[in-house]
């Protein structure tokens, strides 16, 4: 049997939650055969640290940089210019996470600002020829409308919409990443999406340190828990875990490379 390779398309491993056991956490991921990790960074400082760290093994660790929807109201024009420069750094593989969060943001003016920054960052990703990673919460229709209009190449992280909507995203060529929520008892949507989606558009993620999968729900999450998610995907789709992992690994390679 060939060895299974897993990957984590969404990991905040530069977060302070890992400062006490960073190396051990990486070692556990390695031991679990989680061979590729996309490091999501939410500030300039974090991005710089991730770029420095990823030099250790650029095949294994890649970096995404983005202005998170909840942060848009504090972004100055100078911040934007710095971000534009960082985003163009060859060590930054993807733009993200970017998008809309109407769950936490109720103010219509700030929601509108979120849409503005979402569009700006999609356009930047397109200009740089890089894929983008989308955060969307309670905003699936606006997210869809913007992605449909502006295109580019991207994925929906921690997708929580319906399977019908997932089909529409896939029709436009966007990928769907599922994580710990898939293993939760009340995760009806995620399970339906996982069962229904074209397998060539399915990706795995932890969103660590949040969203730890069952049976570790409520604990700090980390990349080494990816096998729990892939196992659940395999169960939902009624295929072997080996097969599921292989498909997802292939999808990730295609997602990163088809746009270069
Ligand atoms: Zn995230």
């Amino acid at each position: 049997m060939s060895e299974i390779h897993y990957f984590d398309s969404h990991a905040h491993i530069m977060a302070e939650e890992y400062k006490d056991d960073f190396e051990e956490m990486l070692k556990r991921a390695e031991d679990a055969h989680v061979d590729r990790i996309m490091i999501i960074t939410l500030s300039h400082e974090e991005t710089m640290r991730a770029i420095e760290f990823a030099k250790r093994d650029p095949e294994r660790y890649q970096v995404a940089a983005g202005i998170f929807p909840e942060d848009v109201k504090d972004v100055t024009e100078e911040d934007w210019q710095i971000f534009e420069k960082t985003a163009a750094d060859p060590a930054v593989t993807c733009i993200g996470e970017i998008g809309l969060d109407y769950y936490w943001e109720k103010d219509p003016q700030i929601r509108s600002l979120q849409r503005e920054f979402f569009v700006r960052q999609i356009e930047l990703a397109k200009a740089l020829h890089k894929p983008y990673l989308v955060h969307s919460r309670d905003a699936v229709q606006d997210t869809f409308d913007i992605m449909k209009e502006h295109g580019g190449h991207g994925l929906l992280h921690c997708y929580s919409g319906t399977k019908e909507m997932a089909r529409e995203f896939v029709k436009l060529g966007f990928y769907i990443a599922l994580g710990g929520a898939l293993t939760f008892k009340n995760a009806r949507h995620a399970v339906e999406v996982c069962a229904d989606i074209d397998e060539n558009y399915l990706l795995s993620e932890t969103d660590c340190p949040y969203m730890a999968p069952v049976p570790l729900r409520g604990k700090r999450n980390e990349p080494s828990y990816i096998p729990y998610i892939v196992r659940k995907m395999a169960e939902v789709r009624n295929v072997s875990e080996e097969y599921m992992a292989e498909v997802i690994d292939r999808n990730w390679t295609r997602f990163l490379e088809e746009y270069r």
Side-chain angles (χ1 to χ4, degrees), residues 28-245:
R28 284 192 293 273
E30 214 171 303
D31 291 345
H33 303 287
V34 180
D35 295 337
R36 293 191 285 175
I37 298 174
M38 179 60 71
I39 306 170
I40 310 295
T41 62
L42 301 175
S43 69
H44 183 67
E45 180 275 322
E46 218 180 27
T47 308
M48 289 300 130
R49 261 195 301 129
I51 289 175
E52 209 34 54
F53 164 71
K55 288 178 184 160
R56 192 190 280 198
D57 187 347
E59 282 296 305
R60 185 170 170 74
Y61 303 110
Q62 296 192 309
V63 179
I67 299 170
F68 194 63
E70 282 171 70
D71 297 332
V72 297
K73 54 185 179 297
D74 304 318
V75 177
T76 64
E77 202 44 47
E78 196 193 340
D79 293 334
W80 173 261
Q81 279 163 17
I82 293 169
F83 174 69
E84 265 188 322
K85 241 169 103 187
T86 313
D89 189 312
V92 172
T93 314
C94 293
I95 305 305
E97 56 191 299
I98 62 173
L100 307 174
D101 196 316
Y102 294 173
Y103 179 80
W104 290 110
E105 189 53 69
K106 310 289 182 202
D107 182 335
Q109 257 175 326
I110 297 173
R111 285 183 175 183
S112 151
L113 194 63
Q114 287 188 356
R115 291 192 290 275
E116 195 186 299
F117 270 93
F118 188 26
V119 169
R120 260 174 123 174
Q121 293 183 91
I122 292 176
E123 290 301 329
L124 178 62
K126 280 160 62 185
L128 295 170
H129 227 69
K130 294 181 181 182
Y132 61 92
L133 319 174
V134 176
H135 169 105
S136 173
R137 201 159 174 208
D138 283 1
V140 73
Q141 190 60 52
D142 282 0
T143 303
F144 180 78
D145 292 344
I146 288 173
M147 290 170 76
K148 185 174 181 183
E149 185 184 343
H150 294 273
H153 180 62
L155 68 79
L156 278 297
H157 127 75
C158 195
Y159 179 77
S160 58
T162 61
K163 66 170 196 253
E164 288 78 14
M165 204 63 187
R167 282 186 198 160
E168 297 302 314
F169 279 111
V170 165
K171 261 189 226 161
L172 297 176
F174 296 116
Y175 288 66
I176 304 283
L178 299 175
L182 182 66
T183 66
F184 299 170
K185 265 210 175 74
N186 56 355
R188 192 173 54 89
H189 274 172
V191 169
E192 279 177 15
V193 168
C194 179
D196 181 75
I197 192 177
D198 177 340
E199 67 174 17
N200 295 308
Y201 289 87
L202 184 60
L203 299 170
S204 55
E205 66 166 51
T206 58
D207 199 14
C208 66
Y210 315 108
M211 302 291 277
V214 171
L216 303 151
R217 189 174 184 181
K219 296 215 170 99
R220 183 193 68 175
N221 198 0
E222 59 172 58
S224 70
Y225 299 163
I226 279 283
Y228 289 104
I229 291 156
V230 175
R231 204 166 298 148
K232 179 71 185 183
M233 286 173 169
E235 186 193 308
V236 168
R237 295 184 68 91
N238 205 13
V239 296
S240 72
E241 193 182 340
E242 288 79 4
Y243 176 82
M244 198 71 254

